Amino acid sequence: MDAETLGLERSDGRNMLAVAATVTLVVAVTAEGPIGPRVVAGAIAGAVAAVVFVASTLLINRYKPDHW
């Protein structure tokens, strides 16, 4: 299953990567502890943010008004 089948556009993929990278960076920088666990925590938070971004984008695309 590809992105177009789901109803995602190319810009949605770029935006998802930007959100995931930003969340990963912010969490890795602001978390306390050794660098390894901070990077892992950032990666997990970034992955969760990416999943939430895709889910919300799909819901918006599906239920948005026609005039959007």
Side-chain angles (χ1 to χ4, degrees):
M1 184 177 296
D2 62 353
E4 289 181 14
T5 303
L6 291 173
L8 295 174
E9 298 175 5
R10 185 176 181 93
S11 63
D12 294 331
R14 279 193 310 267
N15 293 341
M16 180 199 60
L17 288 175
V19 167
T22 302
V23 169
T24 299
L25 183 64
V26 168
V27 170
V29 169
T30 60
E32 293 184 19
I35 190 69
R38 289 169 40 181
V39 170
V40 170
I44 291 170
V48 169
V51 169
V52 170
F53 180 88
V54 169
S56 62
T57 300
L58 290 174
L59 287 171
I60 288 169
N61 287 344
R62 171 129 170 115
Y63 295 109
K64 68 182 176 184
D66 292 333
H67 62 275
W68 272 16

